[in-house]
Amino acid sequence: MLFQNARIENAPVTSFRIADGKFEAIGPDLTPNPGEEVIDLGGKLVLPPFIESHVHLDTCLTAGDPVWNLTGTLFEGIECWAKRKDKLSKQDIKDRVNRAVRLYAAHGVQHIRTHVDVTDPSLVAMETMVELREELKGVMNIQIVAFPQEGILSYPGGKQLMIDAVKLGADAVGAIPHFEFTREYSVESLNFALELAAKEGKLVDVHCDEIDDEASRGLETVAARALELELFDKVTASHTTAMHSYNNAYVVRLMRLLKMSRINFVSNPLVNTHLQGRMDTYPKRRGVTRVKELTEAGLNVSFGHDDIFDPWYPMGTGNLRDVVFMGLHVCQMMGYEDIMNAYKFITTNAAKTLHLGDSYGVAPGRPASFVVMDAETYYDALNTNAAVLCSYKEGKKIAESRPAQGAVLF
Ligand code: 17E
Ligand code: FE2
């Protein structure tokens, strides 16, 4: 199949051919073979598929059930979720995750890293997510992080639950240092999580310092262990919102270690703009990590949605455009090049974090997975909230849309 007039990643128009589920060739001089199907993309933007690098699928679509988060804090969210956990069943999780995955697919997402709460003696969410990963693999590539929402050292049997979750099939090990009872527990939980990952050959993705406390310094431990255990870019620090509040002298010192460690960062600008700064009067902190400075230092940063309609965030439609839009505003990354390149936060940068390797990207020999947007450049796509016209996964169309028609009558 030949696609003509495609603007791949903002570049001038070209053509590309897909065959047997792979990109076969890319170039402006490609002409149709006899009898070949030709699709004229009319100069529209083609991007590698979107990647949700941080979400909690097990909690999605539960806002208000059984109670709403009234303060809007992370901590009340954790309390609300603890009440909802009692009602978890395989069917409940499957129904909600199937709905959420379809929301994402409609917006061109083909890869999701989900954190799954394992501070639950039944581990039903983990068990169910492992089944869903298999059931959905034709349409969504799901990566699972064993996430100890209520702590590893501060939750009864927390260490064993992490070990059991890895045995059940988690792809990555998590931690939540800022929620542990003490600083000592925080450090010990990180040592435990990274050593478990090193031993079992897993990735790491830590909910790290998601608090406005400038003394929350889990990140330095994550980075030091990533370096010493030689895990490097297998390790990701998510949220790191306390970095917003660190003093600059400390950040300059920390930055050297971060660069040596080569860890990835995931920022969740939509949700952390909502959750952070809640104990401030005025001025209120934004509480989003230092995306601009990390990027300028050559560290890999991607953006995640974090939640869809759950105790931590009462909105969300699975459209990562909202995440990028908020991220650029709150991180003050609104230069022309920043805006044009912003799709990388939810594509190529996220692919590095998820370790997708050669299975990702618009290039000959790679799986023919891509999205076509109703815009010519990412600048326009972002500004106009352009629809994803179609989403192809390994040569198969898995979603399409027809943009709404409207008219101004004067
Ligand atoms: N749990 C947590 O600890 N932090 C979050 N941002 C969410 C769940 C969504
Ligand atoms: Fe999260």
Side-chain angles (χ1 to χ4, degrees), residues 54 56 74 78 147 149 176 178 207 210 239 271-272 275 306-307 310 312:
H54 186 122
H56 300 252
L74 166 66
I78 296 173
F147 169 53
Q149 177 67 79
I176 185 164
H178 53 279
H207 274 64
E210 190 186 9
H239 295 292
V271 167
N272 283 127
L275 293 175
D306 204 11
D307 303 273
D310 75 4
W312 295 275

Side-chain angles (χ1 to χ4, degrees), residues 268-275 288 304-305 313 316 319 322-323 326-327:
N268 301 292
L270 206 54
V271 167
N272 283 127
T273 308
H274 161 66
L275 293 175
V288 173
H305 201 309
Y313 189 63
N319 188 349
D322 296 345
V323 176
M326 175 61 82

